[in-house]
PDB file of all heavy atoms in Angstrom:
ATOM      1  N   GLU A1742     177.846-101.302 -14.960  1.00  0.00           N
ATOM      2  CA  GLU A1742     176.615-101.575 -14.223  1.00  0.00           C
ATOM      3  C   GLU A1742     175.871-100.307 -13.823  1.00  0.00           C
ATOM      4  O   GLU A1742     174.670-100.354 -13.527  1.00  0.00           O
ATOM      5  CB  GLU A1742     176.914-102.398 -12.965  1.00  0.00           C
ATOM      6  CG  GLU A1742     177.944-101.787 -12.032  1.00  0.00           C
ATOM      7  CD  GLU A1742     179.338-102.307 -12.304  1.00  0.00           C
ATOM      8  OE1 GLU A1742     179.623-102.690 -13.460  1.00  0.00           O
ATOM      9  OE2 GLU A1742     180.147-102.337 -11.367  1.00  0.00           O
ATOM     10  N   TRP A1743     176.556 -99.180 -13.795  1.00  0.00           N
ATOM     11  CA  TRP A1743     175.854 -97.933 -13.487  1.00  0.00           C
ATOM     12  C   TRP A1743     174.933 -97.514 -14.611  1.00  0.00           C
ATOM     13  O   TRP A1743     173.956 -96.808 -14.396  1.00  0.00           O
ATOM     14  CB  TRP A1743     176.870 -96.821 -13.214  1.00  0.00           C
ATOM     15  CG  TRP A1743     177.721 -97.062 -12.012  1.00  0.00           C
ATOM     16  CD1 TRP A1743     177.480 -97.957 -11.012  1.00  0.00           C
ATOM     17  CD2 TRP A1743     178.939 -96.412 -11.685  1.00  0.00           C
ATOM     18  NE1 TRP A1743     178.475 -97.902 -10.075  1.00  0.00           N
ATOM     19  CE2 TRP A1743     179.397 -96.958 -10.462  1.00  0.00           C
ATOM     20  CE3 TRP A1743     179.710 -95.424 -12.296  1.00  0.00           C
ATOM     21  CZ2 TRP A1743     180.567 -96.543  -9.838  1.00  0.00           C
ATOM     22  CZ3 TRP A1743     180.877 -95.006 -11.681  1.00  0.00           C
ATOM     23  CH2 TRP A1743     181.306 -95.563 -10.470  1.00  0.00           C
ATOM     24  N   ASN A1744     175.226 -97.933 -15.843  1.00  0.00           N
ATOM     25  CA  ASN A1744     174.402 -97.570 -16.988  1.00  0.00           C
ATOM     26  C   ASN A1744     173.007 -98.163 -16.874  1.00  0.00           C
ATOM     27  O   ASN A1744     172.029 -97.555 -17.295  1.00  0.00           O
ATOM     28  CB  ASN A1744     175.072 -98.051 -18.271  1.00  0.00           C
ATOM     29  CG  ASN A1744     174.384 -97.526 -19.522  1.00  0.00           C
ATOM     30  OD1 ASN A1744     173.592 -96.594 -19.444  1.00  0.00           O
ATOM     31  ND2 ASN A1744     174.675 -98.136 -20.654  1.00  0.00           N
ATOM     32  N   VAL A1745     172.879 -99.316 -16.286  1.00  0.00           N
ATOM     33  CA  VAL A1745     171.582 -99.973 -16.145  1.00  0.00           C
ATOM     34  C   VAL A1745     170.660 -99.148 -15.259  1.00  0.00           C
ATOM     35  O   VAL A1745     169.436 -99.136 -15.447  1.00  0.00           O
ATOM     36  CB  VAL A1745     171.773-101.388 -15.555  1.00  0.00           C
ATOM     37  CG1 VAL A1745     170.445-102.096 -15.367  1.00  0.00           C
ATOM     38  CG2 VAL A1745     172.682-102.212 -16.456  1.00  0.00           C
ATOM     39  N   GLN A1746     171.221 -98.418 -14.333  1.00  0.00           N
ATOM     40  CA  GLN A1746     170.412 -97.650 -13.394  1.00  0.00           C
ATOM     41  C   GLN A1746     169.672 -96.504 -14.071  1.00  0.00           C
ATOM     42  O   GLN A1746     168.708 -95.982 -13.523  1.00  0.00           O
ATOM     43  CB  GLN A1746     171.309 -97.100 -12.283  1.00  0.00           C
ATOM     44  CG  GLN A1746     171.986 -98.200 -11.480  1.00  0.00           C
ATOM     45  CD  GLN A1746     173.018 -97.639 -10.526  1.00  0.00           C
ATOM     46  OE1 GLN A1746     173.294 -96.439 -10.544  1.00  0.00           O
ATOM     47  NE2 GLN A1746     173.600 -98.493  -9.712  1.00  0.00           N
ATOM     48  N   THR A1747     170.128 -96.063 -15.233  1.00  0.00           N
ATOM     49  CA  THR A1747     169.482 -94.938 -15.920  1.00  0.00           C
ATOM     50  C   THR A1747     168.362 -95.398 -16.847  1.00  0.00           C
ATOM     51  O   THR A1747     167.670 -94.570 -17.414  1.00  0.00           O
ATOM     52  CB  THR A1747     170.516 -94.156 -16.748  1.00  0.00           C
ATOM     53  OG1 THR A1747     171.032 -95.002 -17.785  1.00  0.00           O
ATOM     54  CG2 THR A1747     171.654 -93.685 -15.864  1.00  0.00           C
ATOM     55  N   ALA A1748     168.181 -96.698 -17.021  1.00  0.00           N
ATOM     56  CA  ALA A1748     167.123 -97.179 -17.907  1.00  0.00           C
ATOM     57  C   ALA A1748     165.767 -96.921 -17.282  1.00  0.00           C
ATOM     58  O   ALA A1748     165.598 -97.021 -16.069  1.00  0.00           O
ATOM     59  CB  ALA A1748     167.301 -98.675 -18.179  1.00  0.00           C
ATOM     60  N   PRO A1749     164.739 -96.571 -18.085  1.00  0.00           N
ATOM     61  CA  PRO A1749     163.412 -96.326 -17.531  1.00  0.00           C
ATOM     62  C   PRO A1749     162.899 -97.551 -16.794  1.00  0.00           C
ATOM     63  O   PRO A1749     162.934 -98.663 -17.285  1.00  0.00           O
ATOM     64  CB  PRO A1749     162.562 -96.020 -18.774  1.00  0.00           C
ATOM     65  CG  PRO A1749     163.541 -95.550 -19.789  1.00  0.00           C
ATOM     66  CD  PRO A1749     164.798 -96.323 -19.539  1.00  0.00           C
ATOM     67  N   SER A1750     162.436 -97.326 -15.575  1.00  0.00           N
ATOM     68  CA  SER A1750     161.899 -98.413 -14.763  1.00  0.00           C
ATOM     69  C   SER A1750     160.916 -97.818 -13.786  1.00  0.00           C
ATOM     70  O   SER A1750     160.488 -96.677 -13.919  1.00  0.00           O
ATOM     71  CB  SER A1750     163.042 -99.128 -14.026  1.00  0.00           C
ATOM     72  OG  SER A1750     163.675 -98.238 -13.124  1.00  0.00           O
ATOM     73  N   GLY A1751     160.566 -98.589 -12.776  1.00  0.00           N
ATOM     74  CA  GLY A1751     159.623 -98.089 -11.794  1.00  0.00           C
ATOM     75  C   GLY A1751     160.155 -96.927 -10.993  1.00  0.00           C
ATOM     76  O   GLY A1751     159.390 -96.124 -10.469  1.00  0.00           O
ATOM     77  N   THR A1752     161.464 -96.827 -10.864  1.00  0.00           N
ATOM     78  CA  THR A1752     162.060 -95.751 -10.066  1.00  0.00           C
ATOM     79  C   THR A1752     162.685 -94.665 -10.923  1.00  0.00           C
ATOM     80  O   THR A1752     163.032 -93.614 -10.402  1.00  0.00           O
ATOM     81  CB  THR A1752     163.139 -96.327  -9.130  1.00  0.00           C
ATOM     82  OG1 THR A1752     164.143 -96.982  -9.904  1.00  0.00           O
ATOM     83  CG2 THR A1752     162.524 -97.318  -8.149  1.00  0.00           C
ATOM     84  N   CYS A1753     162.861 -94.892 -12.218  1.00  0.00           N
ATOM     85  CA  CYS A1753     163.470 -93.902 -13.123  1.00  0.00           C
ATOM     86  C   CYS A1753     162.395 -93.337 -14.030  1.00  0.00           C
ATOM     87  O   CYS A1753     161.735 -94.080 -14.766  1.00  0.00           O
ATOM     88  CB  CYS A1753     164.593 -94.545 -13.931  1.00  0.00           C
ATOM     89  SG  CYS A1753     165.938 -95.194 -12.928  1.00  0.00           S
ATOM     90  N   LEU A1754     162.218 -92.035 -13.984  1.00  0.00           N
ATOM     91  CA  LEU A1754     161.164 -91.384 -14.743  1.00  0.00           C
ATOM     92  C   LEU A1754     161.592 -91.176 -16.188  1.00  0.00           C
ATOM     93  O   LEU A1754     162.760 -90.932 -16.483  1.00  0.00           O
ATOM     94  CB  LEU A1754     160.838 -90.035 -14.103  1.00  0.00           C
ATOM     95  CG  LEU A1754     160.351 -90.123 -12.649  1.00  0.00           C
ATOM     96  CD1 LEU A1754     160.261 -88.734 -12.039  1.00  0.00           C
ATOM     97  CD2 LEU A1754     159.003 -90.812 -12.582  1.00  0.00           C
ATOM     98  N   ILE A1755     160.622 -91.281 -17.092  1.00  0.00           N
ATOM     99  CA  ILE A1755     160.879 -91.117 -18.525  1.00  0.00           C
ATOM    100  C   ILE A1755     160.930 -89.630 -18.870  1.00  0.00           C
ATOM    101  O   ILE A1755     160.084 -88.845 -18.442  1.00  0.00           O
ATOM    102  CB  ILE A1755     159.790 -91.823 -19.360  1.00  0.00           C
ATOM    103  CG1 ILE A1755     159.744 -93.318 -19.011  1.00  0.00           C
ATOM    104  CG2 ILE A1755     160.030 -91.631 -20.841  1.00  0.00           C
ATOM    105  CD1 ILE A1755     158.634 -94.063 -19.706  1.00  0.00           C
ATOM    106  N   GLN A1756     161.934 -89.238 -19.636  1.00  0.00           N
ATOM    107  CA  GLN A1756     162.112 -87.847 -20.029  1.00  0.00           C
ATOM    108  C   GLN A1756     161.014 -87.405 -21.003  1.00  0.00           C
ATOM    109  O   GLN A1756     160.502 -88.203 -21.797  1.00  0.00           O
ATOM    110  CB  GLN A1756     163.474 -87.658 -20.693  1.00  0.00           C
ATOM    111  CG  GLN A1756     164.652 -87.787 -19.743  1.00  0.00           C
ATOM    112  CD  GLN A1756     164.789 -86.584 -18.834  1.00  0.00           C
ATOM    113  OE1 GLN A1756     164.761 -85.430 -19.278  1.00  0.00           O
ATOM    114  NE2 GLN A1756     164.941 -86.846 -17.540  1.00  0.00           N
ATOM    115  N   PRO A1757     160.623 -86.122 -20.956  1.00  0.00           N
ATOM    116  CA  PRO A1757     159.641 -85.607 -21.934  1.00  0.00           C
ATOM    117  C   PRO A1757     160.185 -85.694 -23.360  1.00  0.00           C
ATOM    118  O   PRO A1757     161.399 -85.679 -23.585  1.00  0.00           O
ATOM    119  CB  PRO A1757     159.457 -84.149 -21.504  1.00  0.00           C
ATOM    120  CG  PRO A1757     159.888 -84.103 -20.075  1.00  0.00           C
ATOM    121  CD  PRO A1757     160.973 -85.125 -19.936  1.00  0.00           C
ATOM    122  N   ASP A1758     159.278 -85.784 -24.308  1.00  0.00           N
ATOM    123  CA  ASP A1758     159.679 -85.824 -25.711  1.00  0.00           C
ATOM    124  C   ASP A1758     160.252 -84.476 -26.153  1.00  0.00           C
ATOM    125  O   ASP A1758     159.921 -83.422 -25.588  1.00  0.00           O
ATOM    126  CB  ASP A1758     158.475 -86.172 -26.589  1.00  0.00           C
ATOM    127  CG  ASP A1758     157.960 -87.579 -26.318  1.00  0.00           C
ATOM    128  OD1 ASP A1758     158.777 -88.446 -25.949  1.00  0.00           O
ATOM    129  OD2 ASP A1758     156.742 -87.804 -26.452  1.00  0.00           O
ATOM    130  N   VAL A1759     161.093 -84.530 -27.182  1.00  0.00           N
ATOM    131  CA  VAL A1759     161.676 -83.308 -27.738  1.00  0.00           C
ATOM    132  C   VAL A1759     160.619 -82.583 -28.556  1.00  0.00           C
ATOM    133  O   VAL A1759     160.003 -83.159 -29.458  1.00  0.00           O
ATOM    134  CB  VAL A1759     162.908 -83.640 -28.613  1.00  0.00           C
ATOM    135  CG1 VAL A1759     163.432 -82.376 -29.278  1.00  0.00           C
ATOM    136  CG2 VAL A1759     163.993 -84.288 -27.761  1.00  0.00           C
ATOM    137  N   VAL A1760     160.413 -81.320 -28.249  1.00  0.00           N
ATOM    138  CA  VAL A1760     159.441 -80.498 -28.965  1.00  0.00           C
ATOM    139  C   VAL A1760     160.204 -79.510 -29.842  1.00  0.00           C
ATOM    140  O   VAL A1760     161.002 -78.714 -29.332  1.00  0.00           O
ATOM    141  CB  VAL A1760     158.520 -79.742 -27.988  1.00  0.00           C
ATOM    142  CG1 VAL A1760     157.543 -78.858 -28.752  1.00  0.00           C
ATOM    143  CG2 VAL A1760     157.784 -80.715 -27.077  1.00  0.00           C
ATOM    144  N   PRO A1761     159.984 -79.522 -31.176  1.00  0.00           N
ATOM    145  CA  PRO A1761     160.719 -78.604 -32.056  1.00  0.00           C
ATOM    146  C   PRO A1761     160.468 -77.143 -31.699  1.00  0.00           C
ATOM    147  O   PRO A1761     159.357 -76.764 -31.327  1.00  0.00           O
ATOM    148  CB  PRO A1761     160.185 -78.949 -33.451  1.00  0.00           C
ATOM    149  CG  PRO A1761     159.663 -80.343 -33.325  1.00  0.00           C
ATOM    150  CD  PRO A1761     159.126 -80.454 -31.929  1.00  0.00           C
ATOM    151  N   CYS A1762     161.504 -76.349 -31.807  1.00  0.00           N
ATOM    152  CA  CYS A1762     161.382 -74.921 -31.548  1.00  0.00           C
ATOM    153  C   CYS A1762     160.625 -74.253 -32.690  1.00  0.00           C
ATOM    154  O   CYS A1762     160.935 -74.464 -33.870  1.00  0.00           O
ATOM    155  CB  CYS A1762     162.774 -74.305 -31.389  1.00  0.00           C
ATOM    156  SG  CYS A1762     162.772 -72.517 -31.138  1.00  0.00           S
ATOM    157  N   GLN A1763     159.627 -73.440 -32.356  1.00  0.00           N
ATOM    158  CA  GLN A1763     158.797 -72.782 -33.356  1.00  0.00           C
ATOM    159  C   GLN A1763     159.248 -71.355 -33.662  1.00  0.00           C
ATOM    160  O   GLN A1763     158.537 -70.606 -34.304  1.00  0.00           O
ATOM    161  CB  GLN A1763     157.334 -72.758 -32.874  1.00  0.00           C
ATOM    162  CG  GLN A1763     156.749 -74.127 -32.597  1.00  0.00           C
ATOM    163  CD  GLN A1763     156.729 -75.008 -33.835  1.00  0.00           C
ATOM    164  OE1 GLN A1763     156.567 -74.514 -34.963  1.00  0.00           O
ATOM    165  NE2 GLN A1763     156.883 -76.316 -33.639  1.00  0.00           N
ATOM    166  N   GLU A1764     160.422 -70.984 -33.196  1.00  0.00           N
ATOM    167  CA  GLU A1764     160.912 -69.632 -33.416  1.00  0.00           C
ATOM    168  C   GLU A1764     161.212 -69.403 -34.895  1.00  0.00           C
ATOM    169  O   GLU A1764     161.566 -70.329 -35.623  1.00  0.00           O
ATOM    170  CB  GLU A1764     162.185 -69.419 -32.582  1.00  0.00           C
ATOM    171  CG  GLU A1764     162.689 -67.993 -32.590  1.00  0.00           C
ATOM    172  CD  GLU A1764     163.857 -67.810 -31.633  1.00  0.00           C
ATOM    173  OE1 GLU A1764     163.892 -68.534 -30.620  1.00  0.00           O
ATOM    174  OE2 GLU A1764     164.711 -66.957 -31.898  1.00  0.00           O
ATOM    175  N   GLU A1765     161.052 -68.164 -35.329  1.00  0.00           N
ATOM    176  CA  GLU A1765     161.307 -67.823 -36.728  1.00  0.00           C
ATOM    177  C   GLU A1765     162.763 -68.087 -37.094  1.00  0.00           C
ATOM    178  O   GLU A1765     163.670 -67.922 -36.275  1.00  0.00           O
ATOM    179  CB  GLU A1765     160.974 -66.351 -36.974  1.00  0.00           C
ATOM    180  CG  GLU A1765     159.499 -66.022 -36.837  1.00  0.00           C
ATOM    181  CD  GLU A1765     159.215 -64.574 -37.171  1.00  0.00           C
ATOM    182  OE1 GLU A1765     160.185 -63.863 -37.552  1.00  0.00           O
ATOM    183  OE2 GLU A1765     158.062 -64.151 -37.037  1.00  0.00           O
ATOM    184  N   THR A1766     162.976 -68.494 -38.330  1.00  0.00           N
ATOM    185  CA  THR A1766     164.309 -68.839 -38.796  1.00  0.00           C
ATOM    186  C   THR A1766     165.186 -67.599 -38.885  1.00  0.00           C
ATOM    187  O   THR A1766     164.768 -66.553 -39.376  1.00  0.00           O
ATOM    188  CB  THR A1766     164.236 -69.512 -40.172  1.00  0.00           C
ATOM    189  OG1 THR A1766     163.416 -70.667 -40.079  1.00  0.00           O
ATOM    190  CG2 THR A1766     165.621 -69.916 -40.646  1.00  0.00           C
ATOM    191  N   HIS A1767     166.406 -67.721 -38.400  1.00  0.00           N
ATOM    192  CA  HIS A1767     167.391 -66.647 -38.486  1.00  0.00           C
ATOM    193  C   HIS A1767     168.046 -66.706 -39.865  1.00  0.00           C
ATOM    194  O   HIS A1767     168.589 -67.728 -40.259  1.00  0.00           O
ATOM    195  CB  HIS A1767     168.436 -66.838 -37.384  1.00  0.00           C
ATOM    196  CG  HIS A1767     169.358 -65.676 -37.221  1.00  0.00           C
ATOM    197  ND1 HIS A1767     170.384 -65.411 -38.100  1.00  0.00           N
ATOM    198  CD2 HIS A1767     169.414 -64.703 -36.275  1.00  0.00           C
ATOM    199  CE1 HIS A1767     171.043 -64.344 -37.699  1.00  0.00           C
ATOM    200  NE2 HIS A1767     170.478 -63.889 -36.595  1.00  0.00           N
ATOM    201  N   GLY A1768     167.972 -65.592 -40.634  1.00  0.00           N
ATOM    202  CA  GLY A1768     168.417 -65.588 -42.021  1.00  0.00           C
ATOM    203  C   GLY A1768     169.864 -65.987 -42.200  1.00  0.00           C
ATOM    204  O   GLY A1768     170.191 -66.893 -42.976  1.00  0.00           O
ATOM    205  N   MET A1769     170.768 -65.350 -41.476  1.00  0.00           N
ATOM    206  CA  MET A1769     172.184 -65.659 -41.609  1.00  0.00           C
ATOM    207  C   MET A1769     172.485 -67.070 -41.143  1.00  0.00           C
ATOM    208  O   MET A1769     173.317 -67.781 -41.742  1.00  0.00           O
ATOM    209  CB  MET A1769     173.008 -64.643 -40.798  1.00  0.00           C
ATOM    210  CG  MET A1769     174.512 -64.809 -40.977  1.00  0.00           C
ATOM    211  SD  MET A1769     174.996 -64.638 -42.722  1.00  0.00           S
ATOM    212  CE  MET A1769     176.662 -65.259 -42.682  1.00  0.00           C
ATOM    213  N   ALA A1770     171.795 -67.500 -40.093  1.00  0.00           N
ATOM    214  CA  ALA A1770     172.017 -68.857 -39.587  1.00  0.00           C
ATOM    215  C   ALA A1770     171.592 -69.900 -40.612  1.00  0.00           C
ATOM    216  O   ALA A1770     172.247 -70.938 -40.774  1.00  0.00           O
ATOM    217  CB  ALA A1770     171.249 -69.062 -38.284  1.00  0.00           C
ATOM    218  N   GLU A1771     170.531 -69.634 -41.323  1.00  0.00           N
ATOM    219  CA  GLU A1771     170.074 -70.567 -42.342  1.00  0.00           C
ATOM    220  C   GLU A1771     171.079 -70.661 -43.488  1.00  0.00           C
ATOM    221  O   GLU A1771     171.320 -71.751 -44.037  1.00  0.00           O
ATOM    222  CB  GLU A1771     168.703 -70.127 -42.866  1.00  0.00           C
ATOM    223  CG  GLU A1771     168.092 -71.075 -43.884  1.00  0.00           C
ATOM    224  CD  GLU A1771     167.879 -72.459 -43.309  1.00  0.00           C
ATOM    225  OE1 GLU A1771     167.371 -72.562 -42.190  1.00  0.00           O
ATOM    226  OE2 GLU A1771     168.251 -73.455 -43.999  1.00  0.00           O
ATOM    227  N   VAL A1772     171.686 -69.535 -43.836  1.00  0.00           N
ATOM    228  CA  VAL A1772     172.710 -69.537 -44.889  1.00  0.00           C
ATOM    229  C   VAL A1772     173.910 -70.367 -44.449  1.00  0.00           C
ATOM    230  O   VAL A1772     174.467 -71.162 -45.223  1.00  0.00           O
ATOM    231  CB  VAL A1772     173.130 -68.098 -45.222  1.00  0.00           C
ATOM    232  CG1 VAL A1772     174.328 -68.088 -46.165  1.00  0.00           C
ATOM    233  CG2 VAL A1772     171.963 -67.325 -45.838  1.00  0.00           C
ATOM    234  N   VAL A1773     174.325 -70.210 -43.196  1.00  0.00           N
ATOM    235  CA  VAL A1773     175.467 -70.974 -42.676  1.00  0.00           C
ATOM    236  C   VAL A1773     175.149 -72.461 -42.674  1.00  0.00           C
ATOM    237  O   VAL A1773     175.972 -73.290 -43.095  1.00  0.00           O
ATOM    238  CB  VAL A1773     175.835 -70.487 -41.257  1.00  0.00           C
ATOM    239  CG1 VAL A1773     176.884 -71.403 -40.631  1.00  0.00           C
ATOM    240  CG2 VAL A1773     176.343 -69.058 -41.286  1.00  0.00           C
ATOM    241  N   ARG A1774     173.949 -72.810 -42.215  1.00  0.00           N
ATOM    242  CA  ARG A1774     173.581 -74.231 -42.172  1.00  0.00           C
ATOM    243  C   ARG A1774     173.538 -74.832 -43.574  1.00  0.00           C
ATOM    244  O   ARG A1774     174.023 -75.955 -43.783  1.00  0.00           O
ATOM    245  CB  ARG A1774     172.228 -74.408 -41.472  1.00  0.00           C
ATOM    246  CG  ARG A1774     171.791 -75.872 -41.405  1.00  0.00           C
ATOM    247  CD  ARG A1774     170.597 -76.080 -40.509  1.00  0.00           C
ATOM    248  NE  ARG A1774     169.380 -75.473 -41.024  1.00  0.00           N
ATOM    249  CZ  ARG A1774     168.164 -75.706 -40.513  1.00  0.00           C
ATOM    250  NH1 ARG A1774     168.030 -76.514 -39.464  1.00  0.00           N
ATOM    251  NH2 ARG A1774     167.091 -75.117 -41.022  1.00  0.00           N
ATOM    252  N   ARG A1775     172.974 -74.114 -44.514  1.00  0.00           N
ATOM    253  CA  ARG A1775     172.896 -74.636 -45.881  1.00  0.00           C
ATOM    254  C   ARG A1775     174.298 -74.790 -46.481  1.00  0.00           C
ATOM    255  O   ARG A1775     174.575 -75.782 -47.172  1.00  0.00           O
ATOM    256  CB  ARG A1775     172.053 -73.688 -46.736  1.00  0.00           C
ATOM    257  CG  ARG A1775     171.878 -74.151 -48.185  1.00  0.00           C
ATOM    258  CD  ARG A1775     171.010 -73.186 -48.976  1.00  0.00           C
ATOM    259  NE  ARG A1775     170.890 -73.606 -50.361  1.00  0.00           N
ATOM    260  CZ  ARG A1775     170.006 -74.498 -50.794  1.00  0.00           C
ATOM    261  NH1 ARG A1775     169.168 -75.082 -49.946  1.00  0.00           N
ATOM    262  NH2 ARG A1775     169.935 -74.820 -52.068  1.00  0.00           N
TER     263      ARG A1775
END
Side-chain angles (χ1 to χ4, degrees):
E1742 55 266 28
W1743 296 344
N1744 189 15
V1745 179
Q1746 299 172 354
T1747 64
S1750 63
T1752 59
C1753 299
L1754 300 171
I1755 301 176
Q1756 290 286 311
D1758 295 329
V1759 175
V1760 178
C1762 177
Q1763 302 299 327
E1764 187 174 330
E1765 294 183 2
T1766 302
H1767 190 285
M1769 185 59 193
E1771 183 60 46
V1772 172
V1773 172
R1774 180 170 67 169
R1775 181 179 178 84

